[in-house]
Amino acid sequence: MAQKLQLTVEIPDEYVLITKVEYEKLKKNADRGNSWETIAWFKQQVGIKHPDTLKTRILYPYRSELEKFVKYPEKKGSPWRFHKGATLDWLENNFERLIRGNNTLQGTK
Protein backbone atom coordinates (compact mmCIF):
# COMPACT_ATOMS: atom_id res chain seq x y z
CA MET A 1 0.00 0.00 0.00
CA ALA A 2 1.39 3.41 -1.05
CA GLN A 3 1.82 6.06 1.57
CA LYS A 4 1.33 9.78 1.13
CA LEU A 5 3.26 12.47 2.89
CA GLN A 6 1.90 15.98 2.91
CA LEU A 7 4.43 18.68 3.66
CA THR A 8 4.07 22.41 4.10
CA VAL A 9 7.08 24.64 3.55
CA GLU A 10 6.89 28.30 4.49
CA ILE A 11 8.69 30.63 2.15
CA PRO A 12 9.74 33.93 3.71
CA ASP A 13 8.26 37.07 2.15
CA GLU A 14 11.65 38.20 0.77
CA TYR A 15 11.82 35.09 -1.46
CA VAL A 16 9.86 34.22 -4.60
CA LEU A 17 9.23 30.73 -5.91
CA ILE A 18 9.43 30.48 -9.72
CA THR A 19 9.83 27.69 -12.25
CA LYS A 20 13.24 26.73 -13.57
CA VAL A 21 12.21 27.85 -17.08
CA GLU A 22 11.23 31.26 -15.73
CA TYR A 23 14.50 31.49 -13.80
CA GLU A 24 16.58 30.66 -16.91
CA LYS A 25 14.69 33.27 -18.93
CA LEU A 26 15.30 35.93 -16.26
CA LYS A 27 18.97 34.97 -16.06
CA LYS A 28 19.38 35.16 -19.82
CA ASN A 29 17.75 38.60 -19.95
CA ALA A 30 19.96 39.85 -17.11
CA ASP A 31 23.07 38.66 -18.96
CA ARG A 32 22.05 40.57 -22.07
CA GLY A 33 21.62 43.99 -20.52
CA ASN A 34 22.01 47.32 -22.25
CA SER A 35 25.62 47.97 -21.41
CA TRP A 36 28.47 48.63 -23.80
CA GLU A 37 31.31 46.12 -23.78
CA THR A 38 34.89 45.99 -25.01
CA ILE A 39 36.66 43.93 -27.66
CA ALA A 40 38.02 41.69 -24.89
CA TRP A 41 34.43 40.79 -23.98
CA PHE A 42 33.58 40.09 -27.64
CA LYS A 43 36.65 37.85 -28.05
CA GLN A 44 35.49 35.83 -25.07
CA GLN A 45 31.96 35.48 -26.49
CA VAL A 46 33.12 34.02 -29.80
CA GLY A 47 36.16 32.11 -28.55
CA ILE A 48 38.66 33.87 -30.81
CA LYS A 49 41.75 35.04 -28.99
CA HIS A 50 43.63 37.05 -31.61
CA PRO A 51 42.08 40.42 -32.50
CA ASP A 52 43.23 40.27 -36.14
CA THR A 53 41.49 36.92 -36.61
CA LEU A 54 38.38 38.33 -34.99
CA LYS A 55 38.42 41.30 -37.35
CA THR A 56 38.99 39.28 -40.54
CA ARG A 57 36.46 36.55 -39.71
CA ILE A 58 33.61 38.51 -38.14
CA LEU A 59 33.97 42.24 -37.59
CA TYR A 60 34.84 43.35 -41.13
CA PRO A 61 32.96 40.75 -43.22
CA TYR A 62 29.70 41.49 -41.33
CA ARG A 63 30.33 45.19 -40.77
CA SER A 64 27.18 46.38 -42.55
CA GLU A 65 25.07 44.35 -40.10
CA LEU A 66 27.17 44.98 -37.00
CA GLU A 67 27.43 48.75 -37.33
CA LYS A 68 23.90 49.01 -35.95
CA PHE A 69 25.20 48.05 -32.49
CA VAL A 70 29.00 47.93 -32.73
CA LYS A 71 31.01 51.14 -32.56
CA TYR A 72 33.97 50.66 -34.88
CA PRO A 73 37.07 52.69 -33.96
CA GLU A 74 37.37 55.98 -35.81
CA LYS A 75 41.14 55.72 -35.87
CA LYS A 76 43.84 53.26 -34.83
CA GLY A 77 44.02 52.97 -31.06
CA SER A 78 40.41 54.06 -30.52
CA PRO A 79 38.29 51.56 -28.58
CA TRP A 80 35.75 49.14 -30.00
CA ARG A 81 32.35 49.18 -28.26
CA PHE A 82 29.71 46.44 -28.44
CA HIS A 83 26.11 46.81 -27.29
CA LYS A 84 25.90 43.70 -25.15
CA GLY A 85 22.28 42.67 -25.72
CA ALA A 86 22.20 43.34 -29.45
CA THR A 87 25.57 41.66 -29.98
CA LEU A 88 24.53 38.51 -28.13
CA ASP A 89 21.26 38.39 -30.09
CA TRP A 90 23.13 38.75 -33.39
CA LEU A 91 25.63 36.03 -32.46
CA GLU A 92 22.82 33.68 -31.48
CA ASN A 93 20.82 34.39 -34.65
CA ASN A 94 23.84 34.04 -36.94
CA PHE A 95 25.70 31.21 -35.24
CA GLU A 96 25.24 28.70 -38.08
CA ARG A 97 26.27 31.24 -40.70
CA LEU A 98 29.40 32.15 -38.74
CA ILE A 99 30.37 28.50 -38.31
CA ARG A 100 29.81 27.72 -42.00
CA GLY A 101 31.78 30.77 -43.09
CA ASN A 102 34.69 30.16 -40.73
CA ASN A 103 34.80 26.37 -40.43
CA THR A 104 35.14 26.81 -36.68
CA LEU A 105 35.15 29.67 -34.23
CA GLN A 106 36.01 27.87 -31.02
CA GLY A 107 39.69 27.40 -30.38
CA THR A 108 40.79 29.86 -33.06
CA LYS A 109 43.93 31.72 -32.10
Side-chain angles (χ1 to χ4, degrees), residues 16-27:
V16 176
L17 187 63
I18 61 173
T19 66
K20 187 173 183 176
V21 170
E22 231 176 324
Y23 169 73
E24 292 298 331
K25 185 177 178 182
L26 288 169
K27 190 172 144 187

PDB file of all heavy atoms in Angstrom, residues 16-27:
ATOM      1  N   VAL A  16      10.902  34.497  -3.622  1.00  0.00           N
ATOM      2  CA  VAL A  16       9.859  34.220  -4.597  1.00  0.00           C
ATOM      3  C   VAL A  16      10.122  32.845  -5.182  1.00  0.00           C
ATOM      4  O   VAL A  16      11.259  32.523  -5.531  1.00  0.00           O
ATOM      5  CB  VAL A  16       9.864  35.282  -5.725  1.00  0.00           C
ATOM      6  CG1 VAL A  16       8.840  34.947  -6.788  1.00  0.00           C
ATOM      7  CG2 VAL A  16       9.626  36.664  -5.164  1.00  0.00           C
ATOM      8  N   LEU A  17       9.100  32.058  -5.323  1.00  0.00           N
ATOM      9  CA  LEU A  17       9.225  30.731  -5.908  1.00  0.00           C
ATOM     10  C   LEU A  17       8.804  30.812  -7.374  1.00  0.00           C
ATOM     11  O   LEU A  17       7.687  31.225  -7.691  1.00  0.00           O
ATOM     12  CB  LEU A  17       8.336  29.738  -5.156  1.00  0.00           C
ATOM     13  CG  LEU A  17       8.462  28.276  -5.528  1.00  0.00           C
ATOM     14  CD1 LEU A  17       9.865  27.779  -5.222  1.00  0.00           C
ATOM     15  CD2 LEU A  17       7.437  27.457  -4.763  1.00  0.00           C
ATOM     16  N   ILE A  18       9.726  30.460  -8.281  1.00  0.00           N
ATOM     17  CA  ILE A  18       9.429  30.481  -9.716  1.00  0.00           C
ATOM     18  C   ILE A  18       9.883  29.165 -10.341  1.00  0.00           C
ATOM     19  O   ILE A  18      10.684  28.441  -9.766  1.00  0.00           O
ATOM     20  CB  ILE A  18      10.099  31.672 -10.443  1.00  0.00           C
ATOM     21  CG1 ILE A  18      11.628  31.606 -10.307  1.00  0.00           C
ATOM     22  CG2 ILE A  18       9.561  32.998  -9.948  1.00  0.00           C
ATOM     23  CD1 ILE A  18      12.371  32.641 -11.135  1.00  0.00           C
ATOM     24  N   THR A  19       9.424  28.908 -11.557  1.00  0.00           N
ATOM     25  CA  THR A  19       9.828  27.690 -12.253  1.00  0.00           C
ATOM     26  C   THR A  19      11.262  27.837 -12.757  1.00  0.00           C
ATOM     27  O   THR A  19      11.769  28.950 -12.908  1.00  0.00           O
ATOM     28  CB  THR A  19       8.919  27.407 -13.459  1.00  0.00           C
ATOM     29  OG1 THR A  19       9.107  28.443 -14.419  1.00  0.00           O
ATOM     30  CG2 THR A  19       7.460  27.304 -13.041  1.00  0.00           C
ATOM     31  N   LYS A  20      11.873  26.721 -13.054  1.00  0.00           N
ATOM     32  CA  LYS A  20      13.237  26.734 -13.573  1.00  0.00           C
ATOM     33  C   LYS A  20      13.294  27.423 -14.938  1.00  0.00           C
ATOM     34  O   LYS A  20      14.226  28.161 -15.228  1.00  0.00           O
ATOM     35  CB  LYS A  20      13.766  25.298 -13.686  1.00  0.00           C
ATOM     36  CG  LYS A  20      15.221  25.226 -14.048  1.00  0.00           C
ATOM     37  CD  LYS A  20      15.745  23.815 -13.985  1.00  0.00           C
ATOM     38  CE  LYS A  20      17.236  23.785 -14.273  1.00  0.00           C
ATOM     39  NZ  LYS A  20      17.798  22.452 -14.131  1.00  0.00           N
ATOM     40  N   VAL A  21      12.267  27.214 -15.750  1.00  0.00           N
ATOM     41  CA  VAL A  21      12.205  27.854 -17.077  1.00  0.00           C
ATOM     42  C   VAL A  21      12.155  29.372 -16.923  1.00  0.00           C
ATOM     43  O   VAL A  21      12.863  30.107 -17.614  1.00  0.00           O
ATOM     44  CB  VAL A  21      10.973  27.343 -17.865  1.00  0.00           C
ATOM     45  CG1 VAL A  21      10.751  28.148 -19.134  1.00  0.00           C
ATOM     46  CG2 VAL A  21      11.128  25.866 -18.183  1.00  0.00           C
ATOM     47  N   GLU A  22      11.328  29.832 -15.995  1.00  0.00           N
ATOM     48  CA  GLU A  22      11.230  31.264 -15.733  1.00  0.00           C
ATOM     49  C   GLU A  22      12.558  31.818 -15.226  1.00  0.00           C
ATOM     50  O   GLU A  22      13.005  32.892 -15.634  1.00  0.00           O
ATOM     51  CB  GLU A  22      10.152  31.509 -14.669  1.00  0.00           C
ATOM     52  CG  GLU A  22       9.140  32.540 -15.047  1.00  0.00           C
ATOM     53  CD  GLU A  22       8.057  32.651 -13.986  1.00  0.00           C
ATOM     54  OE1 GLU A  22       7.671  31.644 -13.379  1.00  0.00           O
ATOM     55  OE2 GLU A  22       7.617  33.789 -13.771  1.00  0.00           O
ATOM     56  N   TYR A  23      13.215  31.082 -14.347  1.00  0.00           N
ATOM     57  CA  TYR A  23      14.504  31.487 -13.802  1.00  0.00           C
ATOM     58  C   TYR A  23      15.543  31.614 -14.915  1.00  0.00           C
ATOM     59  O   TYR A  23      16.275  32.604 -14.983  1.00  0.00           O
ATOM     60  CB  TYR A  23      14.978  30.478 -12.757  1.00  0.00           C
ATOM     61  CG  TYR A  23      16.412  30.686 -12.332  1.00  0.00           C
ATOM     62  CD1 TYR A  23      16.764  31.748 -11.516  1.00  0.00           C
ATOM     63  CD2 TYR A  23      17.417  29.829 -12.778  1.00  0.00           C
ATOM     64  CE1 TYR A  23      18.085  31.954 -11.145  1.00  0.00           C
ATOM     65  CE2 TYR A  23      18.741  30.029 -12.417  1.00  0.00           C
ATOM     66  CZ  TYR A  23      19.069  31.092 -11.597  1.00  0.00           C
ATOM     67  OH  TYR A  23      20.377  31.296 -11.246  1.00  0.00           O
ATOM     68  N   GLU A  24      15.610  30.622 -15.809  1.00  0.00           N
ATOM     69  CA  GLU A  24      16.577  30.658 -16.905  1.00  0.00           C
ATOM     70  C   GLU A  24      16.312  31.841 -17.830  1.00  0.00           C
ATOM     71  O   GLU A  24      17.251  32.479 -18.306  1.00  0.00           O
ATOM     72  CB  GLU A  24      16.544  29.340 -17.693  1.00  0.00           C
ATOM     73  CG  GLU A  24      17.058  28.146 -16.914  1.00  0.00           C
ATOM     74  CD  GLU A  24      18.518  28.266 -16.494  1.00  0.00           C
ATOM     75  OE1 GLU A  24      19.304  28.937 -17.189  1.00  0.00           O
ATOM     76  OE2 GLU A  24      18.867  27.683 -15.455  1.00  0.00           O
ATOM     77  N   LYS A  25      15.048  32.132 -18.070  1.00  0.00           N
ATOM     78  CA  LYS A  25      14.693  33.269 -18.926  1.00  0.00           C
ATOM     79  C   LYS A  25      15.133  34.583 -18.270  1.00  0.00           C
ATOM     80  O   LYS A  25      15.715  35.449 -18.926  1.00  0.00           O
ATOM     81  CB  LYS A  25      13.185  33.278 -19.179  1.00  0.00           C
ATOM     82  CG  LYS A  25      12.731  34.332 -20.135  1.00  0.00           C
ATOM     83  CD  LYS A  25      11.237  34.223 -20.386  1.00  0.00           C
ATOM     84  CE  LYS A  25      10.767  35.324 -21.313  1.00  0.00           C
ATOM     85  NZ  LYS A  25       9.319  35.270 -21.532  1.00  0.00           N
ATOM     86  N   LEU A  26      14.882  34.732 -16.990  1.00  0.00           N
ATOM     87  CA  LEU A  26      15.297  35.932 -16.261  1.00  0.00           C
ATOM     88  C   LEU A  26      16.815  36.071 -16.259  1.00  0.00           C
ATOM     89  O   LEU A  26      17.356  37.167 -16.448  1.00  0.00           O
ATOM     90  CB  LEU A  26      14.778  35.892 -14.824  1.00  0.00           C
ATOM     91  CG  LEU A  26      13.280  36.101 -14.647  1.00  0.00           C
ATOM     92  CD1 LEU A  26      12.868  35.774 -13.208  1.00  0.00           C
ATOM     93  CD2 LEU A  26      12.881  37.514 -15.015  1.00  0.00           C
ATOM     94  N   LYS A  27      17.498  34.965 -16.076  1.00  0.00           N
ATOM     95  CA  LYS A  27      18.965  34.967 -16.056  1.00  0.00           C
ATOM     96  C   LYS A  27      19.523  35.380 -17.418  1.00  0.00           C
ATOM     97  O   LYS A  27      20.448  36.189 -17.506  1.00  0.00           O
ATOM     98  CB  LYS A  27      19.457  33.573 -15.662  1.00  0.00           C
ATOM     99  CG  LYS A  27      20.920  33.491 -15.366  1.00  0.00           C
ATOM    100  CD  LYS A  27      21.226  32.112 -14.803  1.00  0.00           C
ATOM    101  CE  LYS A  27      22.566  31.658 -15.289  1.00  0.00           C
ATOM    102  NZ  LYS A  27      22.874  30.305 -14.942  1.00  0.00           N
TER     103      LYS A  27
END
